[in-house]
Amino acid sequence: MVLGAGAAGAALAAYALYEPFRYRVGFHELPVRASALPLTVLHVSDFHLRERDRVKLAWLRGLAERLIDVPDLVLATGDMIQDDSGIEPLVEMLASLEARHGRYYVLGSHDYYQSRFQPYTKYWTGRREQVRAPRAATGRLEELLADKGWRALSNRSEVVTTPHGRIRVAGIDDPYLRRHRTAHITRARDEALAIGLMHTPDVVSEWALNGFDLVLGGHTHAGQVRVPGIGALVTNCSLPLGLAGGPNLVGSTWLHVSPGIGTGRFSPIRFNARPEVTLLHLVPQTSVAGWAAAARGERHR
């Protein structure tokens, strides 16, 4: 009996070390109000990339070919590198992702600081200590991204004009580092869609109260360890555990928290939280009743 339990435990531990390499492209269909635009968004996050991550890099370099069509927007929500060695391969990979209406990003804490060990108790205490880690080459990262046509949205907004309407894309700098500002989180009545970006998904109500259709975040890795029947055990932020990953409605606003692709340097495991990049298809509904019914029902495949 003890031997059987030990074997089962060893198998679960082995799988937790294997799951971080089970990359996939996820898909969710999200109903939005009738006046919104139909739009496809590729949401990428939390690569935690290093030069030596050969398996991850090989999968990411083939990502563009795995997409059936070019998305309207490609949006990245931070923690793109694990250390400075990941900058060049990251930029090379992101440059290969095309979008009809633009590619935008915000930064996460790992894009500002090199990884260092922190006690695992932080995931349950919620304490955020002062950062005492070496700085990352953030300036070089952003310069190279700009050279490839990527647009930064750290505490700023842009309005994208398309043949079918105007889309607001707004972003905030990382709330985990308390670098965020929210005064620009507004939208105009003539904008067909409003989309928000953040890394740590601590700021939710501001987007919802200002009528944003979709808000994207990362950081949580969908909990990274999800117990069947229970879900995520931690989020490493103020987000409720039930919102740790995937799409959820907050009022009339969709919040999508990406599971991300990578893991932290000192916690290289996943369980029931597969790494993914996600295609989000926003589908306008013909009536308020239709929107509400669709939102309550099956919204992904």
Side-chain angles (χ1 to χ4, degrees):
M1 189 74 172
V2 174
L3 182 61
L12 290 173
Y15 177 77
L17 290 169
Y18 165 67
E19 187 175 276
F21 300 97
R22 295 191 66 206
Y23 311 114
R24 67 180 176 186
V25 178
F27 179 86
H28 297 279
E29 192 171 274
L30 307 181
V32 292
R33 54 197 171 78
S35 58
L37 291 179
L39 197 80
T40 302
V41 174
L42 178 65
H43 181 194
V44 299
S45 194
D46 293 84
F47 298 113
H48 290 276
L49 199 58
R50 300 174 295 177
E51 186 177 31
R52 70 183 194 181
D53 292 333
R54 294 183 178 87
V55 176
K56 187 192 303 181
L57 271 169
W59 189 87
L60 289 171
R61 284 168 176 155
L63 175 58
E65 298 176 0
R66 290 183 176 89
L67 303 177
I68 297 174
D69 198 4
V70 174
D72 295 306
L73 294 170
V74 181
L75 305 176
T77 51
D79 274 9
M80 294 183 278
I81 58 172
Q82 187 79 303
D83 58 40
D84 291 347
S85 73
I87 292 177
E88 277 74 14
L90 171 86
V91 172
E92 174 195 352
M93 180 275 297
L94 289 179
S96 70
L97 299 178
E98 299 180 357
R100 292 188 181 92
H101 303 310
R103 301 171 297 175
Y104 297 88
Y105 73 91
V106 293
L107 299 176
S109 58
H110 286 277
D111 303 316
Y112 287 109
Y113 294 96
Q114 309 275 356
S115 296
R116 73 171 181 86
F117 178 77
Q118 298 182 56
Y120 297 120
T121 53
K122 73 169 186 173
Y123 295 113
W124 285 273
T125 63
R127 292 183 60 187
R128 301 186 187 182
E129 300 178 357
Q130 181 180 356
V131 179
R132 296 184 178 87
R135 290 296 300 255
T138 310
R140 179 158 60 95
L141 169 63
E142 295 210 88
E143 181 181 351
L144 292 176
L145 285 172
D147 287 343
K148 299 298 183 181
W150 280 76
R151 304 278 292 174
L153 288 176
S154 296
N155 296 330
R156 59 182 296 270
S157 301
E158 287 196 10
V159 176
V160 182
T161 301
T162 78
H164 305 289
R166 287 154 43 94
I167 304 169
R168 177 175 294 270
V169 285
I172 56 174
D173 212 340
D174 190 15
Y176 191 81
L177 297 177
R178 299 181 176 89
R179 298 176 62 100
H180 63 295
R181 303 292 181 270
T182 58
H184 66 293
I185 298 179
T186 60
R187 71 174 299 179
R189 291 186 177 181
D190 66 342
E191 292 165 356
L193 275 173
I195 301 174
L197 282 72
M198 56 185 164
H199 177 60
T200 308
D202 282 322
V203 179
V204 177
S205 59
E206 288 88 339
W207 304 103
L209 290 171
N210 282 281
F212 274 65
D213 301 282
L214 173 66
V215 182
L216 306 179
H219 181 73
T220 67
H221 302 176
Q224 199 158 320
V225 173
R226 300 176 65 90
V227 178
I230 297 176
L233 302 179
V234 296
T235 66
N236 196 23
C237 66
S238 63
L239 195 71
L241 293 176
L243 304 181
N248 289 279
L249 273 176
V250 179
S252 298
T253 299
W254 284 108
L255 170 67
H256 182 258
V257 180
S258 171
I261 282 293
T263 63
R265 175 184 172 190
F266 300 103
S267 54
I269 61 170
R270 283 180 180 261
F271 188 84
N272 200 25
R274 283 182 64 180
E276 74 170 45
V277 302
T278 314
L279 279 168
L280 303 171
H281 187 200
L282 306 186
V283 182
Q285 302 300 301
T286 56
S287 67
V288 173
W291 179 90
R296 287 194 302 268
E298 181 63 30
R299 60 179 183 269
H300 57 85
R301 66 172 184 251

